[in-house]
Amino acid sequence: MVITMHQKPDADAMGSSLALFHYLQQKGHHATVISPTNYPDFLKWMPGCETVIDFESANEKALEAMKGAELIFCLDFNNIDRTKNMAPVIEKSPAIRILVDHHPEPKDQFEYGVSDNTAAATAQMIYEMLYKLGEEKYINRTWPNVFTPAPSPTPDLSVSPPHRPVYTVWWPI
């Protein structure tokens, strides 16, 4: 299983990918997170970040992980082109592509998934998905990943308002 995100990932892309990674690990699955490009140092505090493979700088390692993947989770992007040099590899892969994204107008490049532009962030969608599936017991309260985008949602207005409030993902009281 591979989890990937858009090039030059932000807190939402990295946070949602690592949150899904930790969940899948707890469920006994082997997953590899691959970033299409490098990412900013200020994201390196996230638990699990040290396991993320940079496709550009560790190309052989990334290709090896993708070669055996049956599933590719595509998080926080609505068009495979947003994965830069990984795009041809994802497109040619026999793996099933699963989209989880909050940007409008996803391309018809994914076998399964959800695109919800009323969500403020993909990390919010991952949290809500796990909660609605009754899997909240696997969400470790020490993961800051799911909550990372709350103070810094995408400011470029690429996501159409109105957004479901991000505060709806905070822990139930």
Side-chain angles (χ1 to χ4, degrees):
M1 225 176 294
V2 167
I3 302 166
T4 192
M5 60 199 87
H6 59 75
Q7 65 177 323
K8 298 294 183 188
D10 54 17
D12 186 26
M14 187 66 75
S16 58
S17 296
L18 288 171
L20 182 59
F21 167 77
H22 288 300
Y23 166 74
L24 291 169
Q25 274 196 321
Q26 287 184 74
K27 294 291 284 187
H29 299 287
H30 175 74
T32 302
V33 180
I34 303 174
S35 174
T37 59
N38 63 354
Y39 46 90
D41 285 343
F42 69 80
L43 296 179
K44 292 183 178 176
W45 61 269
M46 293 183 180
C49 201
E50 69 284 354
T51 68
V52 176
I53 300 171
D54 175 347
F55 184 83
E56 288 186 337
S57 68
N59 188 265
E60 288 183 29
K61 187 175 181 181
L63 289 172
E64 185 64 29
M66 293 185 77
K67 183 170 66 172
E70 293 179 8
L71 299 173
I72 299 175
F73 286 92
C74 302
L75 303 185
D76 200 36
F77 63 91
N78 59 358
N79 182 340
I80 292 174
D81 287 346
R82 290 193 64 205
T83 63
K84 198 175 176 183
N85 295 328
M86 269 181 73
V89 178
I90 294 171
E91 289 169 339
K92 291 177 185 171
S93 173
I96 296 170
R97 293 179 296 268
I98 302 170
L99 172 71
V100 181
D101 182 48
H102 68 114
H103 298 95
E105 301 176 17
K107 300 288 183 194
D108 187 20
Q109 303 168 311
F110 310 93
E111 285 77 18
Y112 299 100
V114 60
S115 175
D116 181 357
N117 66 351
T118 68
T122 300
Q124 175 183 0
M125 294 175 66
I126 294 293
Y127 175 89
E128 290 174 351
M129 176 183 70
L130 296 177
Y131 192 81
K132 288 176 182 176
L133 289 171
E135 298 286 280
E136 66 272 10
K137 65 184 172 231
Y138 293 102
I139 301 173
N140 185 321
R141 292 176 189 255
T142 64
W143 300 352
N145 313 51
V146 171
F147 307 111
T148 300
S152 59
T154 307
D156 67 1
L157 301 177
S158 66
V159 181
S160 304
H163 308 299
R164 283 193 315 281
V166 176
Y167 63 77
T168 62
V169 304
W170 298 114
W171 293 100
I173 297 175

